[in-house]
Amino acid sequence: MNAVLDISGLNKSFGGIKATDDLNLSVRAGELHAVIGPNGAGKTTLISQLTGMQKPDSGRIRFKGRDITAMAPYSRAHLGIARSFQITSLILEMSVLDNIALALQAREGHSFRFIRPAHALTRLRAEALALLDRVGLADKADQPTVALSHGEHRHMEIAIALASKAELMLLDEPMAGLGIEESAQMVELLRGIKGRHTILLIEHDMDAVFALADRISVLVYGHIIATGSPDEIRGNEAVQHAYLGEE
Amino acid sequence: MDLSLLIIQALNGVQLGLLLFLVASGLTLVFGILDFVNLAHGSLYMLGAFICASLTFLFGNFLWAVLVALPLTGGIGYLVERFVARPLYARNHLDHVLGTFGLILVLDTLAHLIWGPAGIAVPLPHWLDGQIALTETLVIPSFRLLIIAAGLAAAAGLFWLVNYTRLGMLIRAGASNRTMVSALGIDIQTLFALVFALGAMLAGLAGMLIAPITEASIGMGNSIIITAFVVIIVGGIGSMKGAFIAALLIGLIDTMGRSFLDDIFKLAMSPEAAETSAPAVSAMLIYIIMALVLALRPQGLFPPRTR
Amino acid sequence: MSFLTRRGWISAVVMALLAVLPPVFFLTGNAFYLDLATRLSILAIAAVSLNLILGYGGLVSFGHAAFVGLGAYAVGIPAHHWLYGGLDFLATTSGFVQVPLAVAVTALFALITGAVCLRTKGVYFIMITMAFAQMIYYLIVSIEEYGGDDGLVIDTRSELPLIDLDNPLQLFGLAYVSLLVAMLLVRMITRSRFGMVLQGAKGNEERMVTLGFNIYAYRLTAYVISGAMCGYAGALLGNFTTFISPEMMDWSRSGELMFMVILGGAATTLGPVLGAIAFIVVEEILSSFTIYWHLPFGLMLMGVVLFARGGLMGLLRGRREDGE
């Protein structure tokens, strides 16, 4: 078992409500591992703990064998964890290209460089353009980010996650708020990325999850109740109960 | 140091602390509920002092003046809310700060126009102007006791208002969930205006209470406002309990530091060194305390629950 | 495509006028206008450096007057000891000691207070920067040796080779060139990788952290740079006024600097300079009419906040900006 990400016994409560309850999860190198679960299952809380925005009450998070439970958020990024946001989280006042360029800049270590204009760095520009091309936004590179549509913002999120060349990409509901056609485009985009990066996909859209995932974990009330291949999950009684059963 | 001096200074510290609480409570109330930063809060403190001074001369009686000046400062607070604060609620904190900074210039200059450049001393009635001998060596001005009593009464009234009345319930609900209060059919605009006016009255009261001691003067609000900021930063912005405890803490530390720090320093260094360094350190003391609190607890001592 | 953008042209014209007009006035017997321009240029340096934090960093620092004041005292205190004795290691009138001292002291103060302030956010940050500035204010007030409340007269201006600061034209020249350098410096910083990170953190903090930027360190660095530049402006201001007092650090001075930045247009190269010009000119005009000039001035400031978003640069660009 070569787990890139290994979560064991994770707990997190907010004033008596257990958002994460003895959560165990292991993501293997190279797989696209989806986490699904009903609303309020604790998916976002899980992501926040993985990126370090929230501290778990107990439990361990290991990345490539290294304990990162207490590591600062920015340091996790340096180790090779990238994240896309459920609610689009871009720097709206900057151009599309600059958003991507900043992600590239982040990958190259510190940015305590005061003298040369960032725009003059043609290498960064070229690479950012290539990434934008990959997500189909090359022609919008110089537009202000705020001018793009929601669907395009979702694609930018993916481009930023790609820019970091992270070993592990945490994608938090990339389909959120997308129409049918846009969702199909996003599935295609993710299919193209799949296999080249290890991906933990948190997603609501079942069609997308079953179309893309190598393995699926089902999160209910902060606890993983089942992990397995899409077929195994389809046939799992506990999962059916959680999704279809009465309240 | 002798004991009676210690007691007197402790009482002075409590007095300063209570005045600070009156100013800080309004600030923290307005910020906690309206998410509005009002730099001009100190100007309301100043206006309270001036209005009370004028009315004292008009009525010939300090207490009547206070009773009439209170609703007047509340009214000014209402006007400030209506014409300056309300258009700025939707803006960011920077705009709040700049807008109310302009308001300070306006209010201070208006005070200058109306009351002139010099300060106005406020005479006290005879029965308040005396001294009370607690022991043979311990004599304190009776007015200072009144300040302490009034400050405590205002604090108690505020706690009662916030914790046990319908208005207080709405205020607490409004602080955590604005849309919910609106959904209950409460006119949130009126609620906000009331909160603002209440804050203005509290600041005004502090100004009225201090005026007989220091006299009413232009710009008197601009130094207390910073200390009040220190209070609510230490206490936790938006927390009434935090404001009360921090106000007493800051009041005591500041007063004690100014009176006894040189004595304390003399235990560890030469008298000359103590004489020169003590004033400088005591001037910075409350800010150093603030920095220490922040270093340990960036949200203050009593951070309010999630907004 | 023209050689300069419209904004570039405006900047060039404004800065050229600022270079030429004051000396012309001076040589035609209107020395007052040269003084005005010198003060303006110095305050503009402070506004330009505040803009780095406030405009590009999105951090509402309400304590920058303290840096200006500390810079001025870094000139005044050595000059005081040079004249009256005491603290021999500090006693000097050499600009080569005083000016670096001003920059070092303010950088250190920015580092210490910034380390605390930047742990907090939003309104906490505003109030804490204010409080630390007030702390320095009270510290200076408490030191009787340096005049306390009454302030300190600088009997001898900083001595520099080639430049004689007692000569108003040369002092103006130094202030003006310093302003140009400050503008170019901030422009260079904001366009660099460092500047991109600073502006990215203003736009979306969580995103920047997730990307792997320790934005605390970047902001602290910008805060120190900004503070040190204000300290330099303070050293010039001390040399210009030759009288310094704690009043220079009063928080209303900080508020005025902020207004210059916002009035002119935050996060632009020329904005703070335009703001400083407008501010000083309006102040001069109003105060020549009435001693109550703060009243219309305050109303004007409120009007600017309520109605003119994006500042003068926004108006010059011919379109209104929608704020943040």
Side-chain angles (χ1 to χ4, degrees), chain B residues 31 37 39 84 88 91-92 94-95 97-99 101-104 106 109 113 222-223 225-226 229 233 237 280 283-284 287 290-291 294-295 298-299, chain C residues 60 62 119-120 123-124 126-128 130-132 134-135 138-139 142 251-252 255-256 258-259 262 292 294-295 297-299 301-302 305-306 309 324:
Chain B
F31 181 76
V37 191
L39 285 188
V84 183
L88 290 174
R91 305 283 194 80
N92 57 18
L94 174 62
D95 283 353
V97 164
L98 293 173
F101 177 67
L103 182 63
I104 291 175
V106 172
T109 317
L113 266 166
N222 298 344
S223 55
I225 185 92
I226 308 278
F229 280 160
I233 291 165
I237 302 180
M284 299 199 293
Y287 304 98
M290 175 190 79
L294 282 175
Q299 299 287 302
Chain C
V60 185
F62 210 124
R119 281 166 55 89
T120 65
V123 69
Y124 277 83
I126 303 177
M127 293 183 185
I128 292 159
M130 241 173 151
F132 276 129
Q134 198 73 358
M135 175 179 88
Y138 283 125
L139 173 68
S142 76
W251 59 272
S252 55
E256 288 171 9
M258 286 168 68
F259 245 107
I262 302 302
Y292 301 113
H294 271 119
L295 183 62
F297 199 64
L299 287 172
L301 298 187
M302 288 163 70
V305 174
L306 285 170
R309 310 196 66 192
E324 73 269 71

Side-chain angles (χ1 to χ4, degrees), chain C residues 272-308:
Chain C
V273 182
L274 279 186
I277 293 174
F279 196 95
I280 301 280
V281 169
V282 171
E283 185 185 88
E284 268 322 309
I285 294 172
L286 287 179
S287 61
S288 68
F289 284 120
T290 164
I291 57 162
Y292 301 113
W293 63 275
H294 271 119
L295 183 62
F297 199 64
L299 287 172
M300 187 198 82
L301 298 187
M302 288 163 70
V304 168
V305 174
L306 285 170
F307 305 115

Side-chain angles (χ1 to χ4, degrees), chain B residues 33 44 105 117 120 137-138 160 162 184 191 193 231 237 252 275 300:
Chain B
I33 294 154
L44 298 166
L105 296 183
I120 301 180
T137 52
L138 194 57
W160 173 75
V162 171
L184 287 174
L191 180 68
V231 165
I237 302 180
L252 280 169
E275 296 280 344

Side-chain angles (χ1 to χ4, degrees), chain A:
Chain A
M1 279 274 290
N2 49 343
V4 169
L5 183 71
D6 188 60
I7 306 167
S8 56
L10 206 65
N11 282 292
K12 175 80 186 173
S13 303
F14 295 103
I17 297 160
K18 286 205 142 191
T20 308
D21 182 10
D22 189 25
L23 190 149
N24 297 289
L25 179 70
S26 171
V27 180
R28 295 174 195 154
E31 74 171 342
L32 192 155
H33 193 129
V35 172
I36 60 172
N39 268 331
K43 291 175 294 206
T44 302
T45 312
L46 173 61
I47 281 255
S48 302
Q49 291 172 87
L50 293 180
T51 53
M53 291 299 179
Q54 286 173 356
K55 296 262 172 287
D57 299 334
S58 64
R60 283 278 160 273
I61 303 170
R62 284 190 191 82
F63 179 66
K64 294 194 287 181
R66 183 169 170 185
D67 189 336
I68 60 163
T69 317
M71 188 178 271
Y74 66 89
S75 307
R76 297 178 197 222
H78 289 301
L79 285 186
I81 302 177
R83 175 206 178 157
S84 83
F85 288 83
Q86 177 185 353
I87 297 161
T88 302
S89 184
L90 301 162
I91 301 154
L92 293 176
E93 51 274 77
M94 283 189 175
S95 74
V96 174
L97 189 85
D98 281 347
N99 267 276
I100 314 297
L102 265 174
L104 293 170
Q105 211 175 296
R107 199 189 63 203
E108 300 189 351
H110 74 83
S111 285
F112 285 97
R113 295 161 196 227
F114 300 91
I115 306 209
R116 268 216 299 171
H119 280 271
L121 300 165
T122 45
R123 184 177 44 78
L124 278 187
R125 259 189 90 89
E127 204 177 335
L129 270 173
L131 280 166
L132 283 172
D133 194 40
R134 219 167 134 190
V135 300
L137 290 173
D139 53 328
K140 311 253 171 152
D142 288 318
Q143 295 199 17
T145 303
V146 70
L148 268 59
S149 72
H150 175 70
E152 290 167 329
H153 283 161
R154 306 305 303 170
H155 280 78
M156 279 178 71
E157 287 273 344
I158 303 296
I160 289 171
L162 285 172
S164 58
K165 288 215 174 126
E167 268 179 75
L168 175 66
M169 287 173 48
L170 307 172
L171 303 183
D172 190 0
E173 302 207 14
M175 319 282 170
L178 293 185
I180 297 170
E181 201 175 313
E182 289 171 321
S183 289
Q185 284 173 359
M186 182 61 81
V187 169
E188 279 319 302
L189 178 60
L190 294 180
R191 209 192 294 279
I193 298 166
K194 194 185 142 177
R196 279 186 265 181
H197 303 260
T198 308
I199 298 175
L200 182 66
L201 171 70
I202 310 263
E203 187 48 69
H204 225 70
D205 183 332
M206 289 300 151
D207 294 338
V209 167
F210 282 95
L212 288 167
D214 298 312
R215 288 200 303 154
I216 300 175
S217 289
V218 184
L219 185 66
V220 177
Y221 294 124
H223 189 73
I224 300 282
I225 59 165
T227 297
S229 70
D231 286 337
E232 286 165 7
I233 293 298
R234 257 193 213 105
N236 187 306
E237 261 183 48
V239 175
Q240 285 177 352
H241 185 77
Y243 267 89
L244 308 171
E246 57 288 289
E247 290 301 323

